[in-house]
Amino acid sequence: MTKTIVLMRHGKSGYPEGTPDHDRPLAERGQREAGLAGQWITEHIGTVDAVLCSTATRTRETLTATKIDAPVTYEERLYGASPEEIIDEIALTDDAVSTLLVVGHAPGIPFTALELGEATGSQAAIEIGRKFPTSAIAVITFDTPWSELGRGTGELTNFHVPR
């Protein structure tokens, strides 16, 4: 059965004075663009079965703004995670899950997209290599169990920047 990972960078955050990085909220633009991202996911991907989300305030607010209704696991390890750490978390996903949304941060999310997806030279890979802006989405499909996910096991099928 084909599985899908939707990797999303959090929306544009605000910078309130004296607020630690982990606690920064979304800016108004971030709220709007995260909502557009949620619409795009619903229209182009369909149902999301589960969500992995960083514990940072801006990722939580991004997920809320998407209006995606799926069981959520908030994982502190996703805050500042490397691609290897993100892949390790994804690999723990139950095989009953067909589509997983991961909401996290740069540079981990864009590097994970490039790490997982066999897309060297594809337009999506070129765009991700240039820039993975806030609220951007990379979609990767693969045909192995979650636990066997690794470098190049998926196909980078889409990259979208909601604006």
Side-chain angles (χ1 to χ4, degrees), residues 17-29:
E17 189 174 328
T19 303
D21 184 72
H22 187 274
D23 299 334
R24 287 190 295 125
L26 285 184
E28 187 176 316
R29 179 180 127 197

Side-chain angles (χ1 to χ4, degrees), residues 10 20 23 44 89 93-94 110-111 117 121 133 150 153:
H10 63 78
D23 299 334
H44 293 89
E89 287 300 321
T93 302
D94 186 297
F111 288 161
T153 56

Side-chain angles (χ1 to χ4, degrees), residues 27-65:
E28 187 176 316
R29 179 180 127 197
Q31 290 281 347
R32 182 178 50 79
E33 291 174 353
L36 293 172
Q39 289 173 359
W40 187 90
I41 291 167
T42 300
E43 291 171 11
H44 293 89
I45 306 301
T47 302
V48 170
D49 301 310
V51 178
L52 267 176
C53 184
S54 162
T55 57
T57 300
R58 61 190 176 276
T59 54
R60 289 172 173 262
E61 289 181 358
T62 295
L63 178 58
T64 298

Side-chain angles (χ1 to χ4, degrees), residues 38-158:
Q39 289 173 359
W40 187 90
I41 291 167
T42 300
E43 291 171 11
H44 293 89
I45 306 301
T47 302
V48 170
D49 301 310
V51 178
L52 267 176
C53 184
S54 162
T55 57
T57 300
R58 61 190 176 276
T59 54
R60 289 172 173 262
E61 289 181 358
T62 295
L63 178 58
T64 298
T66 67
K67 296 188 174 143
I68 291 186
D69 184 22
V72 181
T73 300
Y74 293 100
E75 180 54 55
E76 188 172 339
R77 186 176 180 201
L78 292 178
Y79 177 73
S82 68
E84 293 78 20
E85 291 168 322
I86 294 170
I87 292 168
D88 285 350
E89 287 300 321
I90 293 170
L92 299 173
T93 302
D94 186 297
D95 279 323
V97 171
S98 176
T99 301
L100 175 69
L101 170 63
V102 181
V103 184
H105 309 267
I109 290 292
F111 288 161
T112 300
L114 295 173
E115 183 85 9
L116 289 175
E118 292 183 309
T120 306
S122 75
Q123 187 59 40
I126 291 167
E127 290 176 31
I128 290 171
R130 283 188 195 133
K131 188 173 184 181
F132 201 106
T134 53
S135 295
I137 303 160
V139 181
I140 296 144
T141 59
F142 60 101
D143 293 318
T144 63
W146 294 103
S147 61
E148 294 177 20
L149 197 62
R151 183 182 187 116
T153 56
E155 179 182 353
L156 181 58
T157 58
N158 212 319

